[in-house]
Amino acid sequence: MSSMAKYAQIIWADPTNEDVQDRNKAVETLRAQISSMATHKAIELAAAIAGGFGGAELPKGLAQQIETAISDESAAFVLKGKELQAQVCLAVAAFATVQGPVAESSGWTTADALAASLWSALTLQDQSEHAKLEDLRKDLIEACRTRVGRVAKAARKRVDVPDVGTLTIPDSDPAGSRANTAYRKATAPVIAALKTNQELDHEEIDFLWWATADYSEILDCALGDREPFTRAIASGLEGATMLCRLPGDGLRHAVLRQVGASESMSLAALIVSLAEWRTKLREPHVNGWATDFPLVFPLISSLIADEHQPATAVELDARGWGARALFEASIVAMEDRFAGAA
């Protein structure tokens, strides 16, 4: 099935083959543009896509970019009055991007950042009243969830350390330069593999010590002394600082292992319930950039200031909010660690 075939009826009641083919070409253009973005731009894009599902207008520059991609294939297309088409094409292009292969890397490529950010934004968003648009949103959530899960596992695999390569010294280079260059080329894969494995080993050790201590540096007290919601948020925010990759299911369970059952509550009620602990919980992110994208980081943004709190009717229990704290903080940590590496 082509990219747009399933979603064309969001735009047209009875789409033609030509309609679908032209929008497929536009989607492929947008997908290629997305793939070349820096990871921070991918986070920004996720916020725009989530906003579009919520009824917000696309940012002007992005809207013009989409209009150009569509009009290059359909010369009569004009964006005004057809904003939904632009939003659907962009969402489908993002869908195609996150469905791409998972690279053997640090776990923070453009597609990885987009998937994590979209999953964070869309899962705390109210459902769309447009049934077919809601189907697209749900499909995008599932594709992002699947990719994040695969990336969290793939990026933690230890790397096989290769043998040192053959020293090849061109006769045309000066002797010293030839030897140094050849040595670096021969040993670079070995050193890279050892560094990756060392980083993953350190992550496990640091996380184990943190989990064993069961103490919160953020709250400056034992985690067991706090009620479930405060404990969950602190565990999530602090657990993210122990990780060098996105968290998988096992790490999420480990972070929240001591958070018991609780009632569910909305984001607004959660922030109120944290009371005086809110000041300490927001401290690690108060001067950060998460509030630039409150749709992607609704919990962190809400901790920092009420005006950053997005409207949502979604309710979660303590473990649910703790898992969100872990995931949001992990996205921030990954971007800070690997910015520009994608």
Side-chain angles (χ1 to χ4, degrees), residues 266-298:
S266 67
L267 178 58
L270 169 71
I271 297 301
V272 172
S273 76
L274 297 174
E276 70 274 12
W277 295 108
R278 178 183 179 184
T279 301
K280 289 192 173 185
L281 289 169
R282 71 185 177 192
E283 188 59 32
H285 296 278
V286 73
N287 294 317
W289 50 268
T291 53
D292 293 344
F293 312 111
L295 290 180
V296 176
F297 306 103

Side-chain angles (χ1 to χ4, degrees), residues 33-195:
Q33 292 171 351
I34 292 172
S35 297
S36 67
M37 288 180 174
T39 51
H40 199 75
K41 279 293 184 182
I43 296 171
E44 182 179 348
L45 180 66
I49 293 171
F53 277 112
E57 292 185 3
L58 292 170
K60 184 177 180 180
L62 179 59
Q64 290 174 341
Q65 182 179 348
I66 302 168
E67 182 178 32
T68 299
I70 298 175
S71 62
D72 282 349
E73 306 301 334
S74 301
F77 179 82
V78 177
L79 181 63
K80 187 173 178 60
K82 298 179 181 177
E83 289 82 4
L84 179 60
Q85 279 202 46
Q87 292 169 344
V88 170
C89 287
L90 180 62
V92 174
F95 182 59
T97 301
V98 301
Q99 283 190 309
V102 172
E104 292 184 4
S105 69
S106 64
W108 199 241
T109 64
T110 298
D112 302 335
L114 180 63
S117 301
L118 276 172
W119 192 24
S120 178
L122 298 178
T123 49
L124 205 69
Q125 189 176 55
D126 295 335
Q127 293 186 1
S128 173
E129 295 181 357
H130 190 309
K132 293 186 183 298
L133 191 62
E134 177 62 14
D135 288 341
L136 172 56
R137 192 182 75 90
K138 287 180 177 177
D139 287 348
L140 191 50
I141 289 173
E142 180 59 23
C144 291
R145 183 196 67 78
T146 299
R147 184 181 185 91
V148 170
R150 291 170 60 200
V151 167
K153 291 182 179 179
R156 285 190 170 83
K157 288 183 178 178
R158 298 304 192 271
V159 179
D160 291 334
V161 180
D163 294 332
V164 175
T166 304
L167 291 174
T168 303
I169 306 177
D171 292 334
S172 58
D173 290 345
S177 173
R178 281 186 286 156
N180 289 334
T181 300
Y183 180 78
R184 283 196 298 271
K185 287 183 177 179
T187 59
V190 179
I191 293 171
L194 291 173
K195 284 183 175 180

